[in-house]
Structures are given as C-alpha cells and as structure tokens.
Amino acid sequence: MITYIKITVKTGFKPGSTRYNMKIKRILIANRGEIAVRIMKTAGRLNIETVAVRTAVEPDAMYLSYADKVYDNTEETSEIPVFLDIEKLIRIAIETKSDAVHPGYGFLAENAYFAQKCTENKIVFIGPSPDSIFKMGNKTIARRIAMASNIPMAMGSEGNIGNEEEAVAIAGKIGYPVIIKAASGGGGRGMRIVRKAEEMDKMFIIASKEAEKAFNDPSVFIEKYIENPKHIEFQILGDTKGNVIHLGERECSIQRKHQKLLEEAPSSALNEKLRAEMGNIAVRIAKAVNYHSSGTVEFLLDSDKNYYFMEMNTRIQVEHTVTEIITGIDLIEQQIRIADGEALKFKQEDIKLNGWAIECRINAEDVQSGFAPDPGKIESLSLPSGANIRIDTGIREGSVIAANFDSMIAKLIVSGSSRKDAIKNCKMALDKVWIKGTKTTLPFFRMLIRHPKFLNGDFTTAFIEKDLDQFFYNSEYEEMLAAWLATKLFTEENLADDSINVDFENGKEMSPWLLNKRINQF
C-alpha cells in the first residue's frame, strides 16, 4: 500500500512561470541527501514532479520536504536497503506513475542491470544506456576499448588476473611498483599498491576479497603505478543523436586513500593546448561506447605532463558543482533533457570557462583519526551565504548523520575571478561555517586552504600522505579565541540564573540584557 505525503514544493517553480514542453512529467529520485535535493530543485524549475522515498533510517530527512510526493517505505522489512533494491524501486516507479528514474550517484547509479530493468518497464533511466554503463563500468573492458582507440594508458594486463602467479609474471614485465584494481570497482575499494614481488601474494588476496565484498565481483587487473600524479577528470555531455562535447576539467588530486576531499575547476596544471588535447581524448572515449548523458573521463597526469586514461564514471559526480559554476550549465538539467530525447544545444566552441571554483566536502569525520566517520545528531548548524558561495546540502539542524549512509553534511562551493580570488573567498567562507554535534572535516580544510603547496598548486594525489604534518589549522590567536568562546557560551547558558547577574566592574546587580551586551563587546 502506497502512502503519499503531499509536501509544498520548494524548488523555485511558480504558477505562471515558463513551462517546458517535456515528455517526462514525474521523476522518481532513487537516492537521498544533498543529491536528491539538487535533482529536485532543477526538476521543479522544469515543472517536473518528483517522488522521494522515505526510509526508516531517515524518516524526517530534509530531502523529503523538497519532493512533490513521498513514498513511505518506513515499514519495509527487507534486508536489502531500498536504494539498492532494484525490483522494489521499479515497483515504486510503476505504482507512483513515474515516467523516469534519476539514480543520482552511489547506490545503483552505475548499475547496468538497473538501467536495463527501467528500459524493460518503459521507465526512462536518466543516465547512459545499459551497454555504456557495462562497458565503462568493467575496467578491463574499458581498457580494451581505450587500447583499440589508441588512448594513452599506463602499461598493464590486457584482462583480469587469474591468480597470484600470473600477477607476479605480469608485474615483472611492466616493472614495480604496480597497482591491483578491482575490475568492477571504484572509490578506492579493491585497490592495492605492490612495490615488490614478495608483497604480491598478500596484496592480491586482499584486493580480490575486498572487490568481492564491495562489488560482488572478485576480478582484478594490474597497471603500472604512476608515482605522485595529479588526478584530472573531464566532464562530458553526450546526447542520443551522437553529439558529444566536454566542459573542461576538474582538479581532484586532494584525496585520501583514493577518496576525494576537495575539487576545483579548472586545473592550474593544464594550459589551453593540453586542455584541448585531453578534452578531445575524453570525447573520443565517450563516442567509442555511443555515450549519452553526463559522464566523467578520468586521467592521471605525471610530472612530465604525460597523461593516462584511468576510467570513466557513467553518472553525475559529487563534484559536478564546480563545472556548473565556471560554465554556467546546469548538468542535472542537461541529463534530464538528454533523457527526454533532446539534442545538445551546445557545440564545443560554445563552451567557455569563466573564473574559478572550489568545492570542499564537509563530512562528519574525525580527521585526527584517519578521517573516520563520526555519525551523530547535528545540534546546531550555520552555513554562509553570498554572491560567491553555493551550499549543496541535505542536512539541517536536528538532522542525524546515520552510520547507514555516507557522512556528508554539506558541499561548500566557492567561486572567484581567479584561483587566488577563489582561495581567498573560500578561506573567508570556511571561517563562517559553524557545526556542532559531530566532528567534521572543517579543521582540515582550514589548514589546507592556507598550505603553501596548495596555494602554489604544487600538489599531487600523495599530498596528504607525504606533505602534511598536521590535519588542522593552528591560529596564533587560537587560545585567546577558545577562552573567549568558552566564557561567552558559559554566560549565555546561565543568563536565566539570577545569581549570575552581577556587574563585574562594581559588584552591583545587572540586568541579563545589559550583561549580554557587555559580553558581546569583547
């Protein structure tokens, strides 16, 4: 039995505003959190209804208030979480009369079977074709396609590795260090660096078991490990008519254990010539699999500016925001329009990169404990606003960061006319963020944005492991500020107590309002 909860639309569409003549009228959002809110905002502007799924883990989640209709799944007893339950999501889409499904990122966003099931049930999958997802999702198939298209790649195995002995033989040919990668994986899982033959047996088993646990596929392959590269990715858009363009690159080298923490666009490592060359390669890869929708082609860039194709992500990325800022193009809107059958309205020569943008992923994590998740309730939350600031979040005061889902609190996206200007604006914006209730990555970003190597753009994917001696920012006024805040908070909490209302200057009683005024003068 479906339970609908009608909620006021907060996506910006107003009666009488421009209506778009689209075939898609209602979208089931097969996701949660900030990406669900992000999709709903654009859908509302396009006058498309959205359906959200309410879970028992987050029955009062913020994203539900942005949907037109909510499917109540709080009494579900299945062991499979709803956002991973393909049959259940298809059933919800049919019962809610949704024309399309948007998978967001994570969960089933890159699941070819899910896309196929949508197609079989005459539901539009807002993403690429099942065939493209499968070919690019399997890294060994993607490598073969890239090799056939003469795309630069690191040396490695042509296919999956069957056992440790075969791995040792291949590594001996291409030379150590090598990296073992999950064939069906991503996000740093099922990856291990091997620096000598004696480590291969152990690392092969660990990588294979991790791949099986994470992706239900133990298959792995081997590549030459590129020491201290930059991680550069290109945003591409393709339509169902065969048109493919790129929207420039994103710098994603600030990461820990292959998990991105901060992204910026464009990258200070690329000049116009290299940008055009790598962008054209990204387009060639997309065309090789008849790609349509939004996608990302990822490269490693070594110190000599040699680049190597790494993989393609067949979905919208967490960091798509910085590309939107510098191009002025709504990537979610383009996904929906492409899925609706429209041709791209842009040609490559129409794409101009204006200014600079930086995204900080503010997560509920303890940076001092190796960025370990720190789930809990957000007791208070203050996020900045302004002409150069964009906040994407699915969290508000009172929200709970559940251990069941990712630890993201908000994405702080800051822009500027140049990289220097964007960094200055980002520094000021970070200092205005206040979150109480869980530990966050804010101390790390406040340190990072002031680090000399970051300021110079002189960093690689090894930055955190090799260049940092601390994970937080130490201000010269930190002790003074801490004492002031402690005094202020203590006094505010006790203003209701008459025994505290004393004039510290002459010992006379003072009203709570005057006392508060005195304190705020500090």
Side-chain angles (χ1 to χ4, degrees):
M1 178 68 180
I2 297 174
T3 300
Y4 281 132
I5 305 173
K6 186 63 180 178
I7 297 177
T8 303
V9 180
K10 298 182 180 179
T11 49
F13 179 79
K14 297 178 180 179
S17 59
T18 303
R19 291 184 177 272
Y20 298 88
N21 185 26
M22 303 185 76
K23 295 185 285 294
I24 296 174
K25 304 297 182 185
R26 182 178 296 167
I27 299 173
L28 170 65
I29 312 298
N31 217 302
R32 56 167 293 280
E34 63 86 16
I35 188 60
V37 174
R38 170 71 189 85
I39 296 165
M40 291 169 190
K41 285 182 176 180
T42 290
R45 184 167 54 78
L46 297 174
N47 195 27
I48 297 173
E49 287 188 339
T50 54
V51 179
V53 180
R54 184 171 180 241
T55 68
V57 177
E58 298 180 302
D60 301 311
M62 177 181 165
Y63 72 92
L64 300 172
S65 64
Y66 282 79
D68 295 288
K69 297 184 184 295
V70 175
Y71 180 92
D72 192 353
N73 195 61
T74 55
E75 297 182 3
E76 176 61 44
T77 58
S78 172
E79 293 183 2
I80 304 175
V82 65
F83 296 124
L84 291 174
D85 192 334
I86 292 175
E87 303 303 326
K88 180 67 178 287
L89 289 170
I90 293 296
R91 189 162 70 251
I92 293 173
I94 293 171
E95 293 180 6
T96 58
K97 296 181 171 57
S98 297
D99 307 299
V101 169
H102 197 306
Y105 50 69
F107 295 125
L108 298 172
E110 294 181 281
N111 189 294
Y113 179 69
F114 183 41
Q116 182 63 39
K117 291 296 290 185
C118 286
T119 301
E120 290 175 1
N121 285 277
K122 297 181 171 52
I123 300 166
V124 176
F125 181 80
I126 301 179
S129 68
D131 183 67
S132 295
I133 295 174
F134 174 74
K135 287 177 177 175
M136 288 292 104
N138 187 292
K139 304 301 185 288
T140 51
I141 295 176
R143 278 182 62 84
R144 291 194 187 104
I145 291 171
M147 290 170 66
S149 302
N150 295 317
I151 304 298
M153 287 188 304
M155 293 177 62
S157 58
E158 292 187 12
N160 296 334
I161 303 298
N163 51 54
E164 298 92 316
E165 291 77 15
E166 185 181 353
V168 170
I170 293 174
K173 291 180 181 178
I174 62 178
Y176 290 92
V178 297
I179 184 167
I180 305 171
K181 292 184 177 182
S184 301
R189 290 169 294 182
M191 297 176 68
R192 287 295 184 276
I193 299 168
V194 184
R195 297 191 175 278
K196 51 187 178 181
E198 293 77 12
E199 299 174 346
M200 184 62 78
D201 284 5
K202 176 183 176 181
M203 293 302 184
F204 182 91
I205 293 171
I206 292 174
S208 184
K209 287 185 176 180
E210 192 171 282
E212 183 173 23
K213 181 179 179 180
F215 312 111
N216 198 32
D217 180 4
S219 304
V220 296
F221 65 100
I222 288 181
E223 282 183 346
K224 174 69 177 176
Y225 180 64
I226 309 299
E227 296 277 10
N228 305 327
K230 277 186 168 291
H231 183 147
I232 308 292
E233 62 185 29
F234 272 77
Q235 176 68 56
I236 62 103
L237 281 175
D239 61 26
T240 56
K241 322 297 180 187
N243 302 305
V244 182
I245 61 171
H246 73 83
L247 278 66
E249 81 282 0
R250 295 188 287 257
E251 168 71 71
C252 302
S253 300
I254 301 296
Q255 51 186 258
R256 185 181 183 279
K257 293 185 177 179
H258 308 287
Q259 295 287 335
K260 300 167 188 172
L261 298 170
L262 175 146
E263 304 91 4
E264 54 183 306
S267 169
S268 58
L270 271 60
N271 56 29
E272 288 298 330
K273 181 176 181 296
L274 189 55
R275 177 174 295 115
E277 187 177 331
M278 293 177 70
N280 288 336
I281 292 291
V283 169
R284 278 172 52 194
I285 292 172
K287 285 186 174 182
V289 292
N290 299 314
Y291 194 87
H292 65 261
S293 193
S294 169
T296 306
V297 179
E298 309 207 1
F299 298 92
L300 295 178
L301 183 73
D302 68 19
S303 57
D304 295 320
K305 304 295 185 182
N306 299 310
Y307 55 88
Y308 309 89
F309 168 67
M310 184 167 55
E311 63 184 10
M312 182 177 187
N313 288 310
T314 57
R315 54 174 167 80
I316 195 74
Q317 293 273 75
V318 175
E319 61 274 16
H320 73 276
T321 57
V322 290
T323 297
E324 291 184 326
I325 295 294
I326 67 168
T327 61
I329 295 173
D330 183 328
L331 291 173
I332 300 294
E333 178 181 340
Q334 293 306 309
Q335 280 190 303
I336 295 172
R337 290 187 175 280
I338 290 167
D340 203 57
E342 290 188 21
L344 286 175
K345 298 295 191 294
F346 315 102
K347 297 185 183 301
Q348 191 61 62
E349 56 268 25
D350 298 325
I351 305 302
K352 308 297 180 186
L353 308 185
N354 300 304
W356 213 278
I358 298 171
E359 175 184 279
C360 299
R361 300 189 189 190
I362 302 174
N363 296 333
E365 296 174 357
D366 183 355
V367 295
Q368 292 299 92
S369 297
F371 293 86
D374 188 41
K377 183 178 181 179
I378 302 298
E379 298 173 12
S380 60
L381 176 68
S382 179
L383 299 171
S385 60
N388 297 306
I389 296 172
R390 167 177 164 181
I391 300 288
D392 281 19
T393 185
I395 298 297
R396 57 192 169 199
E397 282 191 12
S399 294
V400 174
I401 306 296
N404 309 61
F405 299 124
D406 68 77
S407 59
M408 183 176 288
I409 297 174
K411 298 189 303 194
L412 173 67
I413 307 102
V414 184
S415 59
S417 58
S418 63
R419 187 171 189 267
K420 183 178 180 180
D421 191 40
I423 290 174
K424 179 193 72 174
N425 292 336
C426 189
K427 186 187 302 182
M428 291 190 293
L430 283 167
D431 289 342
K432 293 178 181 178
V433 179
W434 173 258
I435 300 171
K436 182 181 178 183
T438 68
K439 293 180 180 179
T440 75
T441 49
L442 280 169
F444 168 77
F445 289 121
R446 288 171 179 150
M447 175 281 304
L448 174 66
I449 211 74
R450 293 169 168 87
H451 196 283
K453 284 205 168 187
F454 179 80
L455 295 175
N456 295 333
D458 183 24
F459 56 88
T460 69
T461 56
F463 175 80
I464 291 178
E465 285 77 14
K466 293 188 176 181
D467 296 325
L468 294 188
D469 54 5
Q470 63 185 43
F471 286 104
F472 56 90
Y473 172 58
N474 283 321
S475 168
E476 59 180 310
Y477 303 109
E478 188 169 352
E479 290 185 8
M480 185 187 302
L481 180 62
W484 174 79
L485 283 173
T487 303
K488 187 172 187 297
L489 289 171
F490 172 80
T491 309
E492 287 176 348
E493 290 171 358
N494 289 279
L495 279 177
D497 187 344
D498 291 338
S499 65
I500 301 297
N501 299 343
V502 177
D503 186 334
F504 296 117
E505 293 181 0
N506 53 33
K508 296 180 180 179
E509 289 189 342
M510 183 187 297
S511 72
W513 296 275
L514 183 56
L515 179 61
N516 194 40
K517 182 178 179 181
R518 283 287 173 85
I519 293 168
N520 285 325
Q521 287 175 351
F522 281 97

